[in-house]
Amino acid sequence: MMDKQRVLEKVAKCFALANSNGASPNEVETALRQARNLMKQYNLEAIEVAAHTVDEASVATHTRRAPQDWLHLLAQTCARAFDCQHIAYYNPLQGWSFKFLGKGISPELTAHAYSAMLHQLVAARREHVAQQKRCQLKTKRRRGALFAEGWINAVSYKVAQFAGSMDSEASEAISAYLEHHHPMLKTFEIQSREAKGHDTGSLTAGWNQGQNVRLHHGVGKTGHTALISGGGQ
């Protein structure tokens, strides 16, 4: 008897064949019949099959505290560029991690883009904070967070210029994945910090440096895969 994972893979392949453009009416009928028979034989729910079609890739933050909003904003921006969705979860060994969910190689591309962007952003943010003289530590931290937010907003604005809405098939599959694997998942709205007085300079500085990030268009399964790389300071 096949194990459940192999059955799910087989059912998913049957549905993929049935939905493919080149399949003949007879192939579609055979594939659907085989898929339904397997689901009945192994008592599989449709949500399990849909969830199984989602691929994932994780990136550890190596922190024991929940990721700050600007880290969520960066993860969200990278995920949007590659037709993915992100969630944060706690790993006892690695601390908090981001998981990117999508189709095919999209999650891996998102994880790579996030890691590259984070490396560049952290360096730029550290340099900006070092320039804040005669400030209290909490002021430096606040301005560092505002700089990061401005930087990510600039990148997010570029992503919005080419990234369309996620296709319905991927969106429905990710929803099924979340419902099946993370039914108790909590959602929240990313909050933007309010910049006042001299703090606005940090937000502006972040935006200006974020505009140096270059976005390259490649050809992927979706036809508009984006590849993000760092630009000069």
Side-chain angles (χ1 to χ4, degrees), residues 1-7 10 38 42:
M1 180 178 286
M2 288 188 289
D3 62 43
K4 193 170 186 178
Q5 285 301 108
R6 288 185 62 192
V7 176
K10 197 170 182 63
L38 283 169
Y42 289 90

Side-chain angles (χ1 to χ4, degrees), residues 20-204:
S20 63
N21 292 329
S24 67
N26 186 54
E27 287 176 323
V28 171
E29 183 182 348
T30 302
L32 288 176
R33 184 170 63 249
Q34 188 175 6
R36 287 164 183 156
N37 287 340
L38 283 169
M39 289 177 68
K40 185 177 181 180
Q41 181 182 348
Y42 289 90
N43 197 28
L44 297 177
E45 298 290 338
I47 190 173
E48 290 182 86
V49 178
H52 184 74
T53 65
V54 172
D55 295 286
E56 59 181 66
S58 291
V59 178
T61 67
H62 301 293
T63 62
R64 297 289 165 181
R65 299 176 64 181
Q68 296 182 51
D69 279 6
W70 64 269
L71 283 173
H72 274 285
L73 186 60
L74 180 61
Q76 182 185 70
T77 298
C78 291
R80 185 179 182 188
F82 295 95
D83 280 349
C84 288
Q85 187 170 330
H86 88 283
I87 62 173
Y89 68 97
Y90 186 77
N91 183 310
L93 297 178
Q94 297 182 308
W96 282 89
S97 298
F98 283 125
K99 182 186 289 185
F100 299 103
L101 309 170
K103 292 278 194 172
I105 64 170
S106 292
E108 289 290 344
L109 291 173
T110 306
H112 175 75
Y114 172 82
S115 297
M117 291 294 92
L118 180 63
H119 178 75
Q120 186 183 356
L121 173 54
V122 168
R125 178 173 172 262
R126 186 184 298 121
E127 183 179 334
H128 177 75
V129 170
Q131 294 170 359
Q132 308 304 304
K133 306 297 184 183
R134 296 158 66 181
C135 293
Q136 293 183 346
L137 181 59
K138 65 178 183 179
T139 301
K140 289 186 176 184
R141 286 175 175 167
R142 185 175 66 249
R143 290 180 180 177
L146 283 166
F147 175 89
E149 190 172 310
W151 193 97
I152 298 167
N153 283 341
V155 176
S156 182
Y157 179 75
K158 290 187 176 185
V159 169
Q161 291 177 320
F162 67 81
S165 58
M166 186 184 299
D167 70 80
S168 58
E169 183 184 342
S171 180
E172 289 169 7
I174 292 173
S175 295
Y177 178 99
L178 294 174
E179 186 179 341
H180 183 62
H181 293 289
H182 302 282
M184 304 301 289
L185 186 70
K186 295 180 181 178
T187 60
F188 71 96
E189 188 174 337
I190 299 173
Q191 300 292 326
S192 296
R193 288 173 176 261
E194 186 177 2
K196 295 180 179 179
H198 293 295
D199 289 353
T200 57
S202 294
L203 193 65
T204 302

